[in-house]
Amino acid sequence: MITLFPELLESFLAAGVIGRAVKENKVSVRLINPRDFTSDKHRTVDDRPFGGGPGMVMKAEPLIAAIQAAKVALPKARTVYLSPQGAPLKQQMVRELCEVFDTDGIVLIAGRYEGIDERVITEFVDTEISIGDFVLSGGEVAAMVVIDAVSRLIPGVLGHPLSAAEDSFGEDGLLDHPHYTRPEVLGQNAVPAVLTSGDHEAIARWRRKMALARTQERRSDLLAKARLTAADKLVLKQLNEAQNRNKSE
Ligand code: 9WO
């Protein structure tokens, strides 16, 4: 990863499941600072924008030198630039990046200031990715999102091997169902009875129904692409009918 602030990544790469994956060499992240590829006295990595205007632009040469250093270690790597102008990140692309990471490696570029010189993008970037429609103060947090999402798909990184596939946006493209743990009664709220019934088929049906209901209520855009069984479609129809009954009351 190319960044002017490598220290931002250190606790992230040391903590939790990512930390363990790094320790066990399932994930390896090398941090390369363009400032280490400057040759002037002030180690300059930014400059004023051609055409004028406020703010600064990341200079091309130190950034290119940093990318080339990364490419010496990973000659076949995919170069990814994180910016609001990129293609929206989806779980499908995370799965693809996990494959690329495994076979060729990935060079992540985190920008700072108002952006990087456009010629670095045209000449060195293979894929420009956005994690959402907002502006950050730099690409590092977005790069951490990519590292996190990709790492948890690597075999053995998550404790429970089924979790990665079963979570929200697993294979079926639905939101996750609600989760509960002890105590069974919390203030006024008891855990849904089905979860303590011991009836594992009923539990699976309830969870699927909750996943469908939440996806329909909160993200109906996801339902169009979701992998739905005939039983799922029946559940959605029943949920709609129940909703319409409530409306007409
Ligand atoms: C600054 C800015 C100011 C006014 C209008 C638009 C603007 N865009 C930017 C901008 O992109 N600043 C960047 C800071 C330069 C590149 C790195 N930075 C960044 C990356 N901010 N937000 C991201 C980002 C990356 C991936 N997904 C969402 C946001």
Side-chain angles (χ1 to χ4, degrees), residues 63 170 208:
L63 194 49
R208 187 72 181 177

Side-chain angles (χ1 to χ4, degrees), residues 81-85 111-115 129-132 134-139 142:
Y81 175 51
L82 288 314
S83 96
Q85 287 75 44
R112 279 274 157 173
Y113 314 112
E114 307 309 306
I129 293 177
S130 166
I131 62 155
F134 38 78
V135 180
L136 304 169
S137 41

Side-chain angles (χ1 to χ4, degrees), residues 61-203:
E61 298 98 318
L63 194 49
I64 290 169
I67 295 167
Q68 283 171 336
K71 285 275 212 170
V72 170
L74 298 170
K76 294 173 69 186
R78 168 101 61 112
T79 303
V80 172
Y81 175 51
L82 288 314
S83 96
Q85 287 75 44
L89 183 66
K90 301 283 159 64
Q91 192 65 21
Q92 176 53 45
M93 179 150 26
V94 174
R95 285 191 281 264
E96 188 196 321
L97 288 174
C98 188
E99 195 69 38
V100 173
F101 178 75
D102 180 51
T103 58
D104 302 331
I106 296 175
V107 177
L108 293 169
I109 303 171
R112 279 274 157 173
Y113 314 112
E114 307 309 306
I116 69 178
D117 190 303
E118 186 67 17
R119 294 164 294 187
V120 177
I121 303 175
T122 55
E123 290 299 311
F124 294 91
V125 171
D126 301 311
T127 311
E128 195 168 345
I129 293 177
S130 166
I131 62 155
D133 294 337
F134 38 78
V135 180
L136 304 169
S137 41
E140 285 81 3
V141 169
M144 286 189 241
V145 167
V146 172
I147 292 169
D148 192 294
V150 168
S151 298
R152 59 190 295 293
L153 296 185
I154 295 168
V157 167
L158 283 193
H160 182 41
L162 282 181
S163 307
E166 280 185 358
D167 276 348
S168 332
F169 308 115
E171 299 296 298
D172 55 25
L174 293 175
L175 297 183
D176 206 359
H177 56 76
H179 299 266
Y180 297 89
T181 185
R182 294 188 294 177
E184 203 171 320
V185 180
L186 188 65
Q188 298 290 301
N189 304 113
V191 169
V194 64
L195 298 180
T196 54
S197 69
D199 182 343
H200 299 291
E201 284 188 5
I203 292 169

